[in-house]
Amino acid sequence: MLNSSNDSENEITIINTDEQKSKDNKLIDQLIILYYQQTLIDWDSTVQSTIEDWIFKNKHNLEHIINLLEQRKETSIECACLLGFFHHYGIGFETYNLEEAFQLYKHAADKDDSFANIQIGELYQITKTNHVKAKEAYKRAALLGHPQGAFKYALFLYNCKEKIYWVQASAEKGFEAAQRDMAGHCHYGYGVLKDDHRALSWLLKYSKNNPRASSDELMSLYFYYY
């Protein structure tokens, strides 16, 4: 009877452990999907607030999330990149740690994580003032197909035709800043044929893609262009 009781307790422990692992895996998967989807259309400040709001609204334990990311950072480039983002912006930490963020981003970037390359570029540009390496990192992200990478790479380019190519590539994939820029380019004929109908189309896409844009901002853009 004692053995039977112990077997039952062990079975319950295994079941509970499996249930917790399943919950943890689901939690991290949801967070990674949210993180990467948001990076496709928004700047870091909005990505940060979106993540923090999601954690708060769903009453998730931030310390537990960080522990899970730490456990997975060597085997998952997405977890490494996300943990780097947490260190980068001090999410769940007393302060930000840019060096730790850089190392985590680099681990993911070296394995072709497109957004990690963008963040590497950001840190090279802002904290290390190495614009050559920043441009290289943004280009790599652009070539990997990330719209934010394409837009940031375009900002380094002087050749009008090449610049517009990458801005449009970014806009077509939904990056809101690129959509707003394309509205201006089409209206003024900068690098493309002047076409107010296309300009308005891009402005409407920007408006739809950016629900945070105030009516005043959209009206000022409209009257600025038209």
Side-chain angles (χ1 to χ4, degrees), residues 1-16:
M1 292 295 293
L2 288 175
N3 288 338
S4 176
S5 176
N6 287 337
D7 289 344
S8 297
E9 290 177 1
N10 289 336
E11 185 177 344
I12 292 172
T13 300
I14 292 172
I15 291 173
N16 288 338

Side-chain angles (χ1 to χ4, degrees), residues 13-43:
T13 300
I14 292 172
I15 291 173
N16 288 338
T17 301
D18 288 343
E19 287 179 352
Q20 187 60 49
K21 284 182 179 179
S22 179
K23 288 180 181 178
D24 288 343
N25 289 336
K26 184 178 180 181
L27 169 61
I28 294 301
D29 286 347
Q30 289 176 333
L31 187 54
I32 285 174
I33 290 171
L34 174 67
Y35 172 61
Y36 280 92
Q37 285 181 338
Q38 203 66 38
T39 69
L40 297 174
I41 59 173
D42 275 317
W43 299 110

Side-chain angles (χ1 to χ4, degrees), residues 8 56 64 94 110 116 121 124 158 161 203:
S8 297
F56 176 76
H64 180 60
E94 290 185 4
D110 287 344
Y124 270 128
Y158 295 101
K161 185 176 181 180
L203 189 59

Side-chain angles (χ1 to χ4, degrees), residues 139-159:
K139 182 178 182 179
R140 190 175 180 187
L143 292 172
L144 287 168
H146 200 293
Q148 187 176 158
F151 184 72
K152 288 190 172 184
Y153 176 54
L155 297 178
F156 277 84
L157 300 174
Y158 295 101
N159 181 287

Side-chain angles (χ1 to χ4, degrees), residues 9-89:
E9 290 177 1
N10 289 336
E11 185 177 344
I12 292 172
T13 300
I14 292 172
I15 291 173
N16 288 338
T17 301
D18 288 343
E19 287 179 352
Q20 187 60 49
K21 284 182 179 179
S22 179
K23 288 180 181 178
D24 288 343
N25 289 336
K26 184 178 180 181
L27 169 61
I28 294 301
D29 286 347
Q30 289 176 333
L31 187 54
I32 285 174
I33 290 171
L34 174 67
Y35 172 61
Y36 280 92
Q37 285 181 338
Q38 203 66 38
T39 69
L40 297 174
I41 59 173
D42 275 317
W43 299 110
D44 285 1
S45 58
T46 303
V47 177
Q48 177 186 354
S49 62
T50 299
I51 288 174
E52 290 175 331
D53 288 348
W54 183 83
I55 292 172
F56 176 76
K57 289 177 181 177
N58 290 282
K59 299 179 180 178
H60 292 306
N61 185 305
L62 185 52
E63 184 178 353
H64 180 60
I65 289 174
I66 291 172
N67 287 335
L68 292 175
L69 293 175
E70 284 282 358
Q71 293 168 16
R72 292 163 166 76
K73 67 182 182 182
E74 297 298 332
T75 57
S76 167
I77 60 173
E78 293 85 3
C79 286
C81 187
L82 183 53
L83 183 59
F85 192 83
F86 277 41
H87 279 291
H88 190 167
Y89 292 96

